[in-house]
């Protein structure tokens, strides 16, 4: 998709990720309420289940994407000098990508272990 | 009644300043425009735009006590003293309360505010059913006063790129018109991060529109149309 088409796409994804996060949080609260996590083994067993594991990866992907769109919107509105805007956006992207990699790394670790 | 009026003459004044005026024995049932005309009698160097005097032409859009509105339909009785009158925010000031609306009209022109028809023209007239016509209610009434666009923070931050509520309302006015045939082109033109998607549903536009129109809803409807085309 071209840069011009990015208006609708990011706007839509921002909303879809919001819905997903809300649903995940609701389910997470229900699950944690019915199966309280009391220690490492319980936590490990919970995230060892592929469905929960993958859903959690998507949850964090949603958070990071949502955050990226939000930060981009703030920068486009309030940071007018292009080079500075580009620099901050790049730094934020790197940070979010690193966090995402870390989440994937952790979750795959639990899945295998 | 006490007034504080924004004054600026670029050739004479270093900086804009607020000038105090006092009008005695003012009929509070009159409108702000009447008071401004009396002020002009006191000081003839003061200038502001106005024309029809009844909220139809959209010339005397001003920032009145911090809120945009038309001076000619703002009753003096509704205003707290001292009444602070400033030019529309975020626009280049030409003199006193007169601003340069060029940017505003440019965005208006960009949305092609006219019917685009590619079919051969019908011999007699373009037909439209009453239902189809009713879709234009709440859209065609805009008088292009600029109250909404100049009250919009998204427009203040990106005045060259963001179309602004008034132009987007007009964009939707033609998207909603059953006779128009440039649907896809119009939507494509509005995509991208700036032209329409700078709107963050702040709704200042809805608050200030002297015609009671709802640009935010129009923008929402454009997004709906875009989504329909994608799905
Ligand atoms: S939508 Fe309302 S506030 Fe905006 S330009 Fe039209 S009449 Fe003025």
């Amino acid at each position: 998709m071209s840069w011009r088409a990015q208006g609708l796409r990011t706007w839509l994804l921002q909303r879809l990720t919001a819905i997903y996060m809300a649903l995940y949080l609701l389910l997470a609260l229900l699950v944690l309420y019915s199966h309280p996590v009391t220690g490492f083994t319980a936590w490990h067993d919970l995230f060892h289940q592929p469905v929960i594991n993958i859903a959690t990866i998507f949850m964090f992907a949603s958070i990071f994407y949502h955050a990226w769109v939000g930060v981009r919107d703030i920068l486009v509105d309030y940071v007018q000098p292009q080079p500075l805007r580009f620099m901050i956006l790049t730094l934020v992207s790197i940070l979010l990508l690193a966090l995402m990699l870390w989440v994937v790394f952790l979750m795959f670790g639990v899945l295998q272990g | 009644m006490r007034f504080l009026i924004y004054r600026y003459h670029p050739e004479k004044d270093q900086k804009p300043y607020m000038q105090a005026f006092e009008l005695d024995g003012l009929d509070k049932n009159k409108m702000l425009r009447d008071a401004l005309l009396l002020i002009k009698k006191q000081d003839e160097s003061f200038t502001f735009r106005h024309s029809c005097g009844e909220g139809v032409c959209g010339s005397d859009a001003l920032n009145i006590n911090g809120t945009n509105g038309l001076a000619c339909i703002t009753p003096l009785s509704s205003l707290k003293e001292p009444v602070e009158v400033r030019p529309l925010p975020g626009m280049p000031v030409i003199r006193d309360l007169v601003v340069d609306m060029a940017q505003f009209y440019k965005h208006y022109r960009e949305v092609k505010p006219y019917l685009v028809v590619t079919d051969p023209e019908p011999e007699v007239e373009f037909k439209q059913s009453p239902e189809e016509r009713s879709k234009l209610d709440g859209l065609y009434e805009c008088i292009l006063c600029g109250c909404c666009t100049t009250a919009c923070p998204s427009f203040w931050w990106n005045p060259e790129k963001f179309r602004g509520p008034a132009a987007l309302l007009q964009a939707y006015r033609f998207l909603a018109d059953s006779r128009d045939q440039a649907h896809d082109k119009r939507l494509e033109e509005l995509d991208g991060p700036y032209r329409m998607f700078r709107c963050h549903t702040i709704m200042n536009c809805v608050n200030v529109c002297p015609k009671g129109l709802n640009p935010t809803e129009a923008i929402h409807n454009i997004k709906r149309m875009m989504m329909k085309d994608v799905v």
Side-chain angles (χ1 to χ4, degrees):
Chain A
M1 217 183 279
S2 68
W3 165 248
R4 284 191 59 188
Q6 284 212 9
L8 180 69
R9 191 180 61 181
T10 40
W11 180 82
L12 240 165
L13 277 172
Q14 193 181 29
R15 268 135 197 90
L16 291 178
T17 49
I19 294 170
Y20 182 75
M21 289 189 284
L23 288 178
Y24 181 96
L25 271 182
L26 214 75
L27 282 175
L29 283 177
L30 280 177
V31 170
L32 286 178
Y33 187 71
S34 52
H35 307 278
V37 174
T38 44
F40 178 73
T41 12
W43 178 86
H44 190 273
D45 287 347
L46 190 64
F47 285 98
H48 192 65
Q49 301 171 46
V51 179
I52 293 187
N53 194 296
I54 304 288
T56 307
I57 292 180
F58 271 109
M59 170 67 178
F60 279 97
S62 294
I63 295 177
F64 297 146
Y65 187 81
H66 197 89
W68 186 82
V69 177
V71 170
R72 190 200 69 162
D73 273 345
I74 295 169
L75 292 178
V76 168
D77 282 348
Y78 297 102
V79 181
Q80 291 296 334
Q82 287 280 351
L84 184 65
R85 184 193 293 176
F86 186 73
M87 211 180 74
I88 301 178
L89 205 55
T90 313
L91 285 177
V92 171
S93 308
I94 293 173
L95 176 75
L96 292 177
L97 272 176
L99 286 171
M100 191 61 227
L101 278 178
W102 191 27
V103 169
V104 172
F105 182 72
L106 281 176
M107 283 296 133
F108 275 17
V110 184
L111 211 53
Q112 277 158 6
Chain B
M1 212 171 167
R2 285 173 305 127
F3 294 85
L4 274 176
I5 311 283
Y6 178 102
R7 300 298 307 271
Y8 182 52
H9 190 314
E11 279 132 48
K12 289 191 195 144
D13 304 326
Q14 294 261 320
K15 271 196 304 205
Y17 60 97
M18 298 301 282
Q19 188 180 356
F21 288 95
E22 181 110 36
L23 294 175
D24 297 324
L26 203 56
D27 179 357
K28 293 250 181 142
N29 289 320
K30 296 231 164 170
M31 300 295 171
L32 177 61
R33 172 176 172 270
D34 302 310
L36 291 178
L37 285 169
L38 290 175
I39 288 173
K40 194 173 166 65
K41 271 201 183 136
Q42 275 186 19
D43 180 346
E44 288 195 327
S45 71
F46 164 60
T47 188
F48 72 107
R49 277 195 190 112
H50 66 105
S51 180
C52 74
E54 49 185 26
V56 174
C57 72
S59 303
D60 62 357
L62 297 166
N63 186 271
I64 306 155
N65 278 348
T67 310
N68 290 353
L70 299 179
C72 58
I73 53 170
T74 303
L76 290 167
S77 55
S78 71
L79 297 171
K80 262 224 218 105
E81 287 184 61
V83 183
E84 274 191 39
V85 187
R86 296 168 189 272
L88 289 177
M91 304 291 257
V93 174
I94 295 173
R95 210 176 121 182
D96 295 340
L97 301 179
V98 178
V99 292
D100 182 357
M101 301 280 282
Q103 187 79 69
F104 177 83
Y105 294 132
K106 186 176 160 281
H107 284 303
Y108 177 58
R109 236 174 279 132
E110 295 285 344
V111 302
K112 299 204 167 57
Y114 42 80
L115 286 177
V116 177
V117 179
T118 43
D119 285 354
E121 276 186 35
E123 249 170 57
V124 186
E125 61 197 344
F126 289 105
K127 291 228 165 100
Q128 197 169 42
S129 70
E131 294 77 49
E132 287 168 338
R133 168 60 188 77
S134 70
K135 290 198 178 132
L136 309 183
D137 290 337
L139 303 171
Y140 80 92
E141 298 93 330
C142 173
I143 55 174
L144 294 175
C145 64
C147 284
C148 56
T149 295
T150 59
C152 174
S154 288
F155 183 75
W156 299 338
W157 311 148
N158 288 292
E160 290 102 35
K161 293 176 180 161
F162 177 53
R163 292 269 179 262
L168 290 169
L169 183 92
Q170 285 318 296
Y172 183 62
R173 182 246 171 275
F174 287 93
L175 278 163
D177 196 310
S178 59
R179 299 162 295 180
D180 190 76
Q181 295 180 337
H183 182 88
D184 295 350
K185 266 240 172 69
R186 290 183 191 278
L187 289 185
E188 199 186 309
E189 202 274 333
L190 289 174
D191 204 345
Y194 285 105
R195 290 171 184 173
M196 179 176 69
F197 284 95
R198 275 306 83 210
C199 169
H200 306 309
T201 335
I202 298 164
M203 294 182 89
N204 277 6
C205 52
V206 184
N207 260 345
V208 298
C209 178
K211 290 296 191 183
L213 308 181
N214 191 333
T216 306
E217 194 187 5
I219 293 169
H220 174 78
N221 286 336
I222 298 177
K223 287 176 184 166
R224 279 248 291 263
M225 278 184 167
M226 282 184 170
M227 267 178 8
K228 249 196 210 144
D229 281 10
V230 173
V231 186

